[in-house]
Amino acid sequence: MNTTMCATVCRVRSGSLLVCDHCTNQFVVVHTNRARCFCPGSHVCIHYNGVMAQSMPPQINADCIECCR
Protein backbone atom coordinates (compact mmCIF):
# COMPACT_ATOMS: atom_id res chain seq x y z
CA MET A 1 0.00 0.00 0.00
CA ASN A 2 1.48 3.34 -1.04
CA THR A 3 0.45 6.38 1.01
CA THR A 4 1.15 10.10 0.62
CA MET A 5 1.26 12.59 3.47
CA CYS A 6 1.35 16.35 2.92
CA ALA A 7 3.09 18.09 5.79
CA THR A 8 5.13 21.04 7.01
CA VAL A 9 8.69 20.44 8.19
CA CYS A 10 9.12 21.51 11.82
CA ARG A 11 12.64 20.22 12.57
CA VAL A 12 15.51 18.77 10.58
CA ARG A 13 17.94 16.23 12.04
CA SER A 14 20.55 14.00 10.49
CA GLY A 15 18.52 11.15 9.02
CA SER A 16 15.05 12.39 9.99
CA LEU A 17 12.49 15.16 9.84
CA LEU A 18 9.83 16.13 12.34
CA VAL A 19 6.77 17.18 10.36
CA CYS A 20 3.20 18.25 11.07
CA ASP A 21 0.70 16.30 8.95
CA HIS A 22 -1.72 18.71 7.24
CA CYS A 23 -4.67 16.28 7.49
CA THR A 24 -4.40 15.36 11.16
CA ASN A 25 -2.26 18.17 12.67
CA GLN A 26 -0.21 15.33 14.19
CA PHE A 27 3.57 15.45 14.54
CA VAL A 28 5.34 12.58 12.77
CA VAL A 29 9.02 11.60 12.61
CA VAL A 30 10.01 10.81 9.03
CA HIS A 31 13.15 8.73 8.54
CA THR A 32 14.99 9.64 5.33
CA ASN A 33 18.56 9.93 4.13
CA ARG A 34 17.56 13.19 2.38
CA ALA A 35 16.63 15.08 5.56
CA ARG A 36 19.26 17.79 5.04
CA CYS A 37 17.64 18.70 1.69
CA PHE A 38 14.75 20.37 3.55
CA CYS A 39 14.40 23.19 6.05
CA PRO A 40 11.83 24.12 8.70
CA GLY A 41 8.75 25.64 7.12
CA SER A 42 9.04 23.62 3.89
CA HIS A 43 5.83 22.07 2.62
CA VAL A 44 6.47 18.49 1.52
CA CYS A 45 4.68 15.46 0.11
CA ILE A 46 5.98 12.28 1.70
CA HIS A 47 5.43 8.95 -0.05
CA TYR A 48 5.70 5.91 2.21
CA ASN A 49 4.46 2.33 2.47
CA GLY A 50 1.53 3.12 4.78
CA VAL A 51 3.17 1.64 7.88
CA MET A 52 3.31 4.04 10.84
CA ALA A 53 4.97 3.02 14.11
CA GLN A 54 2.66 3.86 17.00
CA SER A 55 5.32 5.60 19.06
CA MET A 56 5.16 9.11 20.47
CA PRO A 57 5.38 10.80 18.02
CA PRO A 58 4.53 8.24 15.33
CA GLN A 59 7.29 7.34 12.87
CA ILE A 60 7.40 6.46 9.17
CA ASN A 61 10.11 5.57 6.64
CA ALA A 62 9.92 7.74 3.55
CA ASP A 63 10.25 6.18 0.09
CA CYS A 64 10.30 9.62 -1.56
CA ILE A 65 9.91 13.23 -0.37
CA GLU A 66 9.24 16.15 -2.67
CA CYS A 67 8.55 19.83 -2.11
CA CYS A 68 4.99 20.94 -2.75
CA ARG A 69 3.08 24.16 -2.53
CSV table of all heavy atoms in Angstrom, one decimal:
chain,number,residue,atom,x,y,z
A,1,MET,N,0.8,-1.2,0.0
A,1,MET,CA,0.0,0.0,0.0
A,1,MET,C,0.9,1.2,0.0
A,1,MET,O,1.8,1.4,0.9
A,1,MET,CB,-0.9,0.0,1.2
A,1,MET,CG,-1.8,1.2,1.4
A,1,MET,SD,-2.9,0.9,2.8
A,1,MET,CE,-3.3,2.5,3.2
A,2,ASN,N,0.7,2.1,-1.0
A,2,ASN,CA,1.5,3.3,-1.0
A,2,ASN,C,0.6,4.5,-0.5
A,2,ASN,O,-0.5,4.7,-0.9
A,2,ASN,CB,1.9,3.6,-2.5
A,2,ASN,CG,3.1,4.5,-2.5
A,2,ASN,OD1,3.7,4.8,-1.5
A,2,ASN,ND2,3.5,4.9,-3.7
A,3,THR,N,1.2,5.3,0.4
A,3,THR,CA,0.5,6.4,1.0
A,3,THR,C,1.2,7.7,0.8
A,3,THR,O,2.5,7.7,0.8
A,3,THR,CB,0.3,6.1,2.5
A,3,THR,OG1,-0.4,4.8,2.6
A,3,THR,CG2,-0.5,7.1,3.2
A,4,THR,N,0.5,8.8,0.7
A,4,THR,CA,1.1,10.1,0.6
A,4,THR,C,0.6,11.0,1.8
A,4,THR,O,-0.6,11.1,2.0
A,4,THR,CB,0.8,10.8,-0.7
A,4,THR,OG1,1.3,9.9,-1.8
A,4,THR,CG2,1.5,12.1,-0.8
A,5,MET,N,1.6,11.6,2.4
A,5,MET,CA,1.3,12.6,3.5
A,5,MET,C,1.8,14.0,3.0
A,5,MET,O,2.9,14.1,2.7
A,5,MET,CB,2.0,12.2,4.8
A,5,MET,CG,1.8,13.2,5.9
A,5,MET,SD,2.9,12.8,7.3
A,5,MET,CE,2.3,11.2,7.8
A,6,CYS,N,0.9,15.0,3.1
A,6,CYS,CA,1.3,16.3,2.9
A,6,CYS,C,1.6,17.0,4.3
A,6,CYS,O,0.7,16.8,5.2
A,6,CYS,CB,0.3,17.1,2.1
A,6,CYS,SG,0.1,16.5,0.5
A,7,ALA,N,2.7,17.6,4.5
A,7,ALA,CA,3.1,18.1,5.8
A,7,ALA,C,4.0,19.3,5.7
A,7,ALA,O,4.5,19.6,4.7
A,7,ALA,CB,3.8,17.0,6.5
A,8,THR,N,4.2,19.9,6.9
A,8,THR,CA,5.1,21.0,7.0
A,8,THR,C,6.3,20.6,7.9
A,8,THR,O,6.1,20.0,8.9
A,8,THR,CB,4.5,22.3,7.7
A,8,THR,OG1,3.4,22.7,6.9
A,8,THR,CG2,5.4,23.4,7.9
A,9,VAL,N,7.5,20.8,7.4
A,9,VAL,CA,8.7,20.4,8.2
A,9,VAL,C,8.8,21.3,9.4
A,9,VAL,O,8.8,22.6,9.3
A,9,VAL,CB,10.0,20.5,7.3
A,9,VAL,CG1,11.2,20.2,8.1
A,9,VAL,CG2,9.9,19.6,6.1
A,10,CYS,N,9.0,20.7,10.6
A,10,CYS,CA,9.1,21.5,11.8
A,10,CYS,C,10.6,21.5,12.3
A,10,CYS,O,11.0,22.5,12.9
A,10,CYS,CB,8.2,20.9,12.9
A,10,CYS,SG,6.5,21.0,12.5
A,11,ARG,N,11.3,20.4,12.1
A,11,ARG,CA,12.6,20.2,12.6
A,11,ARG,C,13.4,19.3,11.6
A,11,ARG,O,12.8,18.3,11.2
A,11,ARG,CB,12.7,19.7,14.0
A,11,ARG,CG,14.0,19.6,14.6
A,11,ARG,CD,14.1,19.1,16.0
A,11,ARG,NE,13.0,19.6,16.8
A,11,ARG,CZ,12.4,18.8,17.8
A,11,ARG,NH1,12.8,17.6,18.0
A,11,ARG,NH2,11.4,19.4,18.5
A,12,VAL,N,14.7,19.6,11.4
A,12,VAL,CA,15.5,18.8,10.6
A,12,VAL,C,16.6,18.2,11.4
A,12,VAL,O,17.3,19.0,12.2
A,12,VAL,CB,16.1,19.6,9.4
A,12,VAL,CG1,17.1,18.7,8.6
A,12,VAL,CG2,15.0,20.2,8.5
A,13,ARG,N,16.8,16.9,11.4
A,13,ARG,CA,17.9,16.2,12.0
A,13,ARG,C,18.7,15.4,11.0
A,13,ARG,O,18.1,15.1,10.0
A,13,ARG,CB,17.4,15.4,13.2
A,13,ARG,CG,16.9,16.2,14.3
A,13,ARG,CD,16.7,15.4,15.6
A,13,ARG,NE,16.4,16.3,16.7
A,13,ARG,CZ,15.8,15.8,17.8
A,13,ARG,NH1,15.4,14.6,17.9
A,13,ARG,NH2,15.5,16.7,18.7
A,14,SER,N,19.8,14.9,11.4
A,14,SER,CA,20.6,14.0,10.5
A,14,SER,C,19.8,12.7,10.4
A,14,SER,O,19.6,12.0,11.4
A,14,SER,CB,22.0,13.8,11.1
A,14,SER,OG,22.6,12.9,10.2
A,15,GLY,N,19.2,12.4,9.2
A,15,GLY,CA,18.5,11.1,9.0
A,15,GLY,C,17.0,11.2,9.3
A,15,GLY,O,16.3,10.2,9.1
A,16,SER,N,16.5,12.3,9.7
A,16,SER,CA,15.0,12.4,10.0
A,16,SER,C,14.5,13.8,10.0
A,16,SER,O,15.3,14.8,10.1
A,16,SER,CB,14.7,11.7,11.3
A,16,SER,OG,15.2,12.5,12.4
A,17,LEU,N,13.2,13.9,9.8
A,17,LEU,CA,12.5,15.2,9.8
A,17,LEU,C,11.4,15.0,10.9
A,17,LEU,O,10.8,13.9,11.0
A,17,LEU,CB,11.8,15.5,8.5
A,17,LEU,CG,12.7,15.6,7.3
A,17,LEU,CD1,11.8,15.7,6.0
A,17,LEU,CD2,13.6,16.8,7.4
A,18,LEU,N,11.1,16.1,11.6
A,18,LEU,CA,9.8,16.1,12.3
A,18,LEU,C,8.9,17.0,11.5
A,18,LEU,O,9.2,18.2,11.2
A,18,LEU,CB,10.1,16.7,13.7
A,18,LEU,CG,8.8,16.9,14.6
A,18,LEU,CD1,8.3,15.5,15.0
A,18,LEU,CD2,9.1,17.7,15.8
A,19,VAL,N,7.7,16.4,11.2
A,19,VAL,CA,6.8,17.2,10.4
A,19,VAL,C,5.4,17.2,11.1
A,19,VAL,O,5.1,16.4,12.0
A,19,VAL,CB,6.6,16.5,9.0
A,19,VAL,CG1,7.9,16.5,8.2
A,19,VAL,CG2,6.0,15.2,9.0
A,20,CYS,N,4.6,18.2,10.6
A,20,CYS,CA,3.2,18.2,11.1
A,20,CYS,C,2.3,17.9,9.9
A,20,CYS,O,2.3,18.6,8.9
A,20,CYS,CB,2.9,19.6,11.6
A,20,CYS,SG,1.2,19.8,12.3
A,21,ASP,N,1.6,16.8,10.0
A,21,ASP,CA,0.7,16.3,9.0
A,21,ASP,C,-0.5,17.3,8.8
A,21,ASP,O,-1.1,17.7,9.7
A,21,ASP,CB,0.2,14.9,9.4
A,21,ASP,CG,-0.7,14.3,8.4
A,21,ASP,OD1,-1.2,14.9,7.4
A,21,ASP,OD2,-1.0,13.1,8.5
A,22,HIS,N,-0.7,17.7,7.5
A,22,HIS,CA,-1.7,18.7,7.2
A,22,HIS,C,-3.1,18.2,7.5
A,22,HIS,O,-4.0,18.9,7.8
A,22,HIS,CB,-1.6,19.2,5.8
A,22,HIS,CG,-0.4,20.0,5.5
A,22,HIS,ND1,-0.1,20.4,4.3
A,22,HIS,CD2,0.6,20.5,6.3
A,22,HIS,CE1,1.0,21.2,4.3
A,22,HIS,NE2,1.4,21.2,5.5
A,23,CYS,N,-3.3,16.9,7.3
A,23,CYS,CA,-4.7,16.3,7.5
A,23,CYS,C,-5.1,16.1,9.0
A,23,CYS,O,-6.2,16.3,9.3
A,23,CYS,CB,-4.8,14.9,6.8
A,23,CYS,SG,-4.8,15.1,5.0
A,24,THR,N,-4.1,15.7,9.8
A,24,THR,CA,-4.4,15.4,11.2
A,24,THR,C,-3.8,16.3,12.2
A,24,THR,O,-4.1,16.2,13.4
A,24,THR,CB,-3.8,14.0,11.5
A,24,THR,OG1,-2.4,14.0,11.4
A,24,THR,CG2,-4.4,12.9,10.5
A,25,ASN,N,-3.0,17.3,11.8
A,25,ASN,CA,-2.3,18.2,12.7
A,25,ASN,C,-1.4,17.4,13.7
A,25,ASN,O,-1.2,17.9,14.8
A,25,ASN,CB,-3.2,19.1,13.4
A,25,ASN,CG,-3.8,20.1,12.4
A,25,ASN,OD1,-3.1,20.7,11.6
A,25,ASN,ND2,-5.1,20.4,12.6
A,26,GLN,N,-1.0,16.2,13.3
A,26,GLN,CA,-0.2,15.3,14.2
A,26,GLN,C,1.3,15.5,13.8
A,26,GLN,O,1.6,15.5,12.6
A,26,GLN,CB,-0.7,13.9,14.0
A,26,GLN,CG,0.1,12.8,14.6
A,26,GLN,CD,-0.5,11.5,14.4
A,26,GLN,OE1,-1.2,11.0,15.3
A,26,GLN,NE2,-0.3,10.9,13.3
A,27,PHE,N,2.1,15.5,14.8
A,27,PHE,CA,3.6,15.5,14.5
A,27,PHE,C,4.0,14.0,14.2
A,27,PHE,O,3.5,13.1,14.9
A,27,PHE,CB,4.4,16.0,15.7
A,27,PHE,CG,4.2,17.4,16.0
A,27,PHE,CD1,3.4,17.9,17.0
A,27,PHE,CD2,4.8,18.4,15.1
A,27,PHE,CE1,3.2,19.3,17.2
A,27,PHE,CE2,4.7,19.7,15.3
A,27,PHE,CZ,3.8,20.2,16.4
A,28,VAL,N,4.9,13.9,13.2
A,28,VAL,CA,5.3,12.6,12.8
A,28,VAL,C,6.8,12.7,12.5
A,28,VAL,O,7.3,13.7,11.9
A,28,VAL,CB,4.6,12.1,11.5
A,28,VAL,CG1,5.2,10.8,11.0
A,28,VAL,CG2,3.1,12.1,11.7
A,29,VAL,N,7.6,11.7,12.9
A,29,VAL,CA,9.0,11.6,12.6
A,29,VAL,C,9.1,10.8,11.3
A,29,VAL,O,8.6,9.7,11.2
A,29,VAL,CB,9.8,10.9,13.7
A,29,VAL,CG1,11.3,10.7,13.3
A,29,VAL,CG2,9.8,11.7,15.0
A,30,VAL,N,9.8,11.4,10.3
A,30,VAL,CA,10.0,10.8,9.0
A,30,VAL,C,11.5,10.5,8.9
A,30,VAL,O,12.3,11.3,8.9
A,30,VAL,CB,9.6,11.8,7.9
A,30,VAL,CG1,9.8,11.1,6.5
A,30,VAL,CG2,8.2,12.2,8.1
A,31,HIS,N,11.8,9.2,8.7
A,31,HIS,CA,13.1,8.7,8.5
A,31,HIS,C,13.5,8.8,7.1
A,31,HIS,O,12.8,8.2,6.2
A,31,HIS,CB,13.3,7.3,9.1
A,31,HIS,CG,13.1,7.2,10.6
A,31,HIS,ND1,14.0,7.7,11.5
A,31,HIS,CD2,12.1,6.8,11.3
A,31,HIS,CE1,13.6,7.5,12.7
A,31,HIS,NE2,12.4,7.0,12.6
A,32,THR,N,14.6,9.5,6.7
A,32,THR,CA,15.0,9.6,5.3
A,32,THR,C,16.5,10.0,5.3
A,32,THR,O,16.9,10.7,6.2
A,32,THR,CB,14.2,10.7,4.6
A,32,THR,OG1,14.7,10.9,3.3
A,32,THR,CG2,14.2,12.0,5.3
A,33,ASN,N,17.2,9.5,4.3
A,33,ASN,CA,18.6,9.9,4.1
A,33,ASN,C,18.7,11.3,3.4
A,33,ASN,O,19.8,11.8,3.2
A,33,ASN,CB,19.4,8.8,3.4
A,33,ASN,CG,18.8,8.5,2.0
A,33,ASN,OD1,17.9,9.1,1.6
A,33,ASN,ND2,19.4,7.5,1.4
A,34,ARG,N,17.6,11.9,3.0
A,34,ARG,CA,17.6,13.2,2.4
A,34,ARG,C,17.1,14.3,3.3
A,34,ARG,O,16.7,15.4,2.9
A,34,ARG,CB,16.6,13.2,1.2
A,34,ARG,CG,17.1,12.2,0.1
A,34,ARG,CD,16.3,12.3,-1.2
A,34,ARG,NE,16.4,13.7,-1.7
A,34,ARG,CZ,15.4,14.5,-2.0
A,34,ARG,NH1,14.1,14.0,-1.9
A,34,ARG,NH2,15.6,15.7,-2.5
A,35,ALA,N,17.2,14.1,4.6
A,35,ALA,CA,16.6,15.1,5.6
A,35,ALA,C,17.3,16.5,5.4
A,35,ALA,O,16.6,17.5,5.5
A,35,ALA,CB,16.8,14.6,7.0
A,36,ARG,N,18.6,16.5,5.1
A,36,ARG,CA,19.3,17.8,5.0
A,36,ARG,C,18.9,18.6,3.8
A,36,ARG,O,19.3,19.7,3.6
A,36,ARG,CB,20.8,17.6,5.1
A,36,ARG,CG,21.2,16.9,6.4
A,36,ARG,CD,21.2,17.9,7.5
A,36,ARG,NE,21.8,17.3,8.7
A,36,ARG,CZ,21.8,17.9,9.9
A,36,ARG,NH1,21.3,19.1,10.0
A,36,ARG,NH2,22.3,17.3,10.9
A,37,CYS,N,18.1,18.0,2.9
A,37,CYS,CA,17.6,18.7,1.7
A,37,CYS,C,16.5,19.6,2.0
A,37,CYS,O,16.1,20.4,1.1
A,37,CYS,CB,17.2,17.7,0.6
A,37,CYS,SG,18.5,16.6,0.0
A,38,PHE,N,15.9,19.6,3.2
A,38,PHE,CA,14.7,20.4,3.6
A,38,PHE,C,15.1,21.3,4.7
A,38,PHE,O,16.0,21.1,5.4
A,38,PHE,CB,13.6,19.4,3.9
A,38,PHE,CG,13.3,18.5,2.7
A,38,PHE,CD1,13.8,17.2,2.7
A,38,PHE,CD2,12.5,18.9,1.7
A,38,PHE,CE1,13.5,16.3,1.7
A,38,PHE,CE2,12.3,18.0,0.6
A,38,PHE,CZ,12.8,16.8,0.6
A,39,CYS,N,14.2,22.3,4.9
A,39,CYS,CA,14.4,23.2,6.0
A,39,CYS,C,13.1,23.4,6.7
A,39,CYS,O,12.0,23.2,6.1
A,39,CYS,CB,15.0,24.5,5.6
A,39,CYS,SG,14.1,25.4,4.4
A,40,PRO,N,13.1,23.8,8.0
A,40,PRO,CA,11.8,24.1,8.7
A,40,PRO,C,11.0,25.1,7.9
A,40,PRO,O,11.5,26.1,7.3
A,40,PRO,CB,12.3,24.7,10.0
A,40,PRO,CG,13.6,24.1,10.2
A,40,PRO,CD,14.2,24.0,8.9
A,41,GLY,N,9.7,24.8,7.9
A,41,GLY,CA,8.8,25.6,7.1
A,41,GLY,C,8.5,25.1,5.7
A,41,GLY,O,7.5,25.6,5.1
A,42,SER,N,9.3,24.2,5.2
A,42,SER,CA,9.0,23.6,3.9
A,42,SER,C,7.8,22.8,3.9
A,42,SER,O,7.5,22.1,4.8
A,42,SER,CB,10.2,22.7,3.5
A,42,SER,OG,11.4,23.4,3.4
A,43,HIS,N,7.0,22.9,2.8
A,43,HIS,CA,5.8,22.1,2.6
A,43,HIS,C,6.3,20.9,1.7
A,43,HIS,O,6.8,21.1,0.7
A,43,HIS,CB,4.7,22.9,2.0
A,43,HIS,CG,4.1,23.9,2.8
A,43,HIS,ND1,3.1,23.7,3.7
A,43,HIS,CD2,4.6,25.2,3.1
A,43,HIS,CE1,2.8,24.8,4.4
A,43,HIS,NE2,3.7,25.7,4.0
A,44,VAL,N,6.0,19.7,2.2
A,44,VAL,CA,6.5,18.5,1.5
A,44,VAL,C,5.4,17.5,1.3
A,44,VAL,O,4.4,17.4,2.1
A,44,VAL,CB,7.6,17.8,2.3
A,44,VAL,CG1,8.9,18.7,2.3
A,44,VAL,CG2,7.3,17.5,3.7
A,45,CYS,N,5.5,16.6,0.3
A,45,CYS,CA,4.7,15.5,0.1
A,45,CYS,C,5.6,14.3,0.4
A,45,CYS,O,6.6,14.1,-0.3
A,45,CYS,CB,4.1,15.4,-1.3
A,45,CYS,SG,2.9,16.7,-1.6
A,46,ILE,N,5.2,13.4,1.3
A,46,ILE,CA,6.0,12.3,1.7
A,46,ILE,C,5.3,11.0,1.2
A,46,ILE,O,4.1,10.8,1.6
A,46,ILE,CB,6.1,12.2,3.2
A,46,ILE,CG1,6.7,13.6,3.7
A,46,ILE,CG2,6.9,11.0,3.7
A,46,ILE,CD1,6.4,13.8,5.2
A,47,HIS,N,6.0,10.2,0.4
A,47,HIS,CA,5.4,8.9,0.0
A,47,HIS,C,6.1,7.9,0.8
A,47,HIS,O,7.3,7.8,1.0
A,47,HIS,CB,5.8,8.7,-1.5
A,47,HIS,CG,5.3,9.9,-2.4
A,47,HIS,ND1,4.0,10.0,-2.8
A,47,HIS,CD2,6.0,10.9,-2.9
A,47,HIS,CE1,3.9,11.1,-3.5
A,47,HIS,NE2,5.0,11.7,-3.6
A,48,TYR,N,5.2,7.0,1.4
A,48,TYR,CA,5.7,5.9,2.2
A,48,TYR,C,4.8,4.7,2.1
A,48,TYR,O,3.7,4.8,1.4
A,48,TYR,CB,5.8,6.4,3.7
A,48,TYR,CG,4.6,6.7,4.4
A,48,TYR,CD1,4.0,5.8,5.3
A,48,TYR,CD2,3.8,7.9,4.1
A,48,TYR,CE1,2.9,6.1,6.0
A,48,TYR,CE2,2.7,8.2,4.8
A,48,TYR,CZ,2.2,7.3,5.7
A,48,TYR,OH,1.0,7.6,6.4
A,49,ASN,N,5.2,3.6,2.7
A,49,ASN,CA,4.5,2.3,2.5
A,49,ASN,C,3.2,2.2,3.3
A,49,ASN,O,2.5,1.1,3.2
A,49,ASN,CB,5.4,1.1,2.7
A,49,ASN,CG,5.8,1.0,4.2
A,49,ASN,OD1,5.4,1.8,5.0
A,49,ASN,ND2,6.7,0.1,4.5
A,50,GLY,N,2.8,3.2,4.0
A,50,GLY,CA,1.5,3.1,4.8
A,50,GLY,C,1.7,2.6,6.2
A,50,GLY,O,0.8,2.7,7.0
A,51,VAL,N,2.9,2.1,6.5
A,51,VAL,CA,3.2,1.6,7.9
A,51,VAL,C,3.6,2.8,8.8
A,51,VAL,O,4.6,3.5,8.4
A,51,VAL,CB,4.2,0.5,7.9
A,51,VAL,CG1,4.6,0.1,9.3
A,51,VAL,CG2,3.7,-0.6,7.0
A,52,MET,N,3.0,3.0,9.9
A,52,MET,CA,3.3,4.0,10.8
A,52,MET,C,3.5,3.4,12.2
A,52,MET,O,2.6,2.8,12.7
A,52,MET,CB,2.2,5.1,10.9
A,52,MET,CG,2.5,6.3,11.8
A,52,MET,SD,1.3,7.6,11.7
A,52,MET,CE,1.4,8.2,10.1
A,53,ALA,N,4.7,3.5,12.8
A,53,ALA,CA,5.0,3.0,14.1
A,53,ALA,C,4.2,3.8,15.1
A,53,ALA,O,4.2,5.1,15.1
A,53,ALA,CB,6.5,3.1,14.4
A,54,GLN,N,3.5,3.2,16.0
A,54,GLN,CA,2.7,3.9,17.0
A,54,GLN,C,3.5,4.3,18.2
A,54,GLN,O,3.1,4.0,19.4
A,54,GLN,CB,1.5,2.9,17.4
A,54,GLN,CG,0.6,2.6,16.2
A,54,GLN,CD,0.0,3.9,15.6
A,54,GLN,OE1,-0.5,4.8,16.3
A,54,GLN,NE2,0.1,4.0,14.3
A,55,SER,N,4.5,5.0,18.0
A,55,SER,CA,5.3,5.6,19.1
A,55,SER,C,4.8,7.0,19.3
A,55,SER,O,3.9,7.5,18.7
A,55,SER,CB,6.8,5.6,18.7
A,55,SER,OG,7.0,6.3,17.5
A,56,MET,N,5.5,7.7,20.2
A,56,MET,CA,5.2,9.1,20.5
A,56,MET,C,6.4,10.0,20.1
A,56,MET,O,7.3,9.9,20.9
A,56,MET,CB,4.8,9.3,21.9
A,56,MET,CG,3.5,8.6,22.3
A,56,MET,SD,2.1,9.1,21.3
A,56,MET,CE,1.7,10.8,22.0
A,57,PRO,N,6.4,10.8,19.1
A,57,PRO,CA,5.4,10.8,18.0
A,57,PRO,C,5.5,9.6,17.1
A,57,PRO,O,6.5,8.9,17.1
A,57,PRO,CB,5.7,12.1,17.3
A,57,PRO,CG,7.2,12.3,17.5
A,57,PRO,CD,7.5,11.7,18.8
A,58,PRO,N,4.5,9.3,16.3
A,58,PRO,CA,4.5,8.2,15.3
A,58,PRO,C,5.7,8.4,14.4
A,58,PRO,O,6.2,9.5,14.2
A,58,PRO,CB,3.2,8.4,14.6
A,58,PRO,CG,2.3,9.2,15.4
A,58,PRO,CD,3.2,10.1,16.2
A,59,GLN,N,6.1,7.3,13.8
A,59,GLN,CA,7.3,7.3,12.9
A,59,GLN,C,7.0,6.6,11.6
A,59,GLN,O,6.3,5.6,11.6
A,59,GLN,CB,8.5,6.7,13.5
A,59,GLN,CG,8.9,7.4,14.8
A,59,GLN,CD,10.1,6.7,15.4
A,59,GLN,OE1,11.0,6.3,14.7
A,59,GLN,NE2,10.1,6.6,16.7
A,60,ILE,N,7.5,7.1,10.5
A,60,ILE,CA,7.4,6.5,9.2
A,60,ILE,C,8.8,6.5,8.5
A,60,ILE,O,9.6,7.3,8.8
A,60,ILE,CB,6.4,7.1,8.3
A,60,ILE,CG1,6.7,8.6,8.0
A,60,ILE,CG2,5.0,7.0,8.9
A,60,ILE,CD1,5.8,9.3,6.9
A,61,ASN,N,8.9,5.6,7.5
A,61,ASN,CA,10.1,5.6,6.6
A,61,ASN,C,9.7,6.1,5.3
A,61,ASN,O,8.8,5.4,4.6
A,61,ASN,CB,10.7,4.2,6.5
A,61,ASN,CG,11.3,3.7,7.9
A,61,ASN,OD1,12.0,4.4,8.5
A,61,ASN,ND2,10.9,2.5,8.3
A,62,ALA,N,10.3,7.1,4.8
A,62,ALA,CA,9.9,7.7,3.5
A,62,ALA,C,10.5,7.0,2.4
A,62,ALA,O,11.7,6.6,2.4
A,62,ALA,CB,10.4,9.2,3.5
A,63,ASP,N,9.7,6.7,1.3
A,63,ASP,CA,10.3,6.2,0.1
A,63,ASP,C,10.7,7.3,-0.8
A,63,ASP,O,11.7,7.2,-1.5
A,63,ASP,CB,9.2,5.4,-0.7
A,63,ASP,CG,8.7,4.1,0.1
A,63,ASP,OD1,9.6,3.5,0.8
A,63,ASP,OD2,7.6,3.8,0.0
A,64,CYS,N,10.0,8.5,-0.7
A,64,CYS,CA,10.3,9.6,-1.6
A,64,CYS,C,9.7,10.9,-0.9
A,64,CYS,O,8.6,10.8,-0.3
A,64,CYS,CB,9.7,9.4,-3.0
A,64,CYS,SG,9.9,10.8,-4.0
A,65,ILE,N,10.4,12.0,-0.9
A,65,ILE,CA,9.9,13.2,-0.4
A,65,ILE,C,10.1,14.3,-1.4
A,65,ILE,O,11.2,14.4,-2.0
A,65,ILE,CB,10.6,13.7,0.9
A,65,ILE,CG1,10.5,12.6,2.0
A,65,ILE,CG2,10.0,15.0,1.5
A,65,ILE,CD1,11.3,12.9,3.3
A,66,GLU,N,9.1,15.1,-1.7
A,66,GLU,CA,9.2,16.2,-2.7
A,66,GLU,C,8.6,17.4,-2.1
A,66,GLU,O,7.6,17.3,-1.3
A,66,GLU,CB,8.6,15.8,-4.0
A,66,GLU,CG,7.2,15.2,-3.9
A,66,GLU,CD,6.8,14.5,-5.2
A,66,GLU,OE1,7.6,14.3,-6.1
A,66,GLU,OE2,5.6,14.2,-5.3
A,67,CYS,N,9.1,18.5,-2.5
A,67,CYS,CA,8.5,19.8,-2.1
A,67,CYS,C,7.2,20.0,-2.8
A,67,CYS,O,7.1,19.6,-4.0
A,67,CYS,CB,9.5,21.0,-2.5
A,67,CYS,SG,11.0,21.0,-1.4
A,68,CYS,N,6.3,20.6,-2.1
A,68,CYS,CA,5.0,20.9,-2.7
A,68,CYS,C,4.6,22.3,-2.3
A,68,CYS,O,5.2,22.9,-1.4
A,68,CYS,CB,3.9,19.9,-2.4
A,68,CYS,SG,3.6,19.7,-0.6
A,69,ARG,N,3.6,22.8,-2.9
A,69,ARG,CA,3.1,24.2,-2.5
A,69,ARG,C,1.7,24.1,-1.9
A,69,ARG,O,1.0,23.2,-2.1
A,69,ARG,CB,3.1,25.1,-3.8
A,69,ARG,CG,4.5,25.2,-4.3
A,69,ARG,CD,4.5,26.3,-5.3
A,69,ARG,NE,5.9,26.4,-5.9
A,69,ARG,CZ,6.8,27.1,-5.5
A,69,ARG,NH1,6.7,27.9,-4.5
A,69,ARG,NH2,8.0,27.1,-6.1
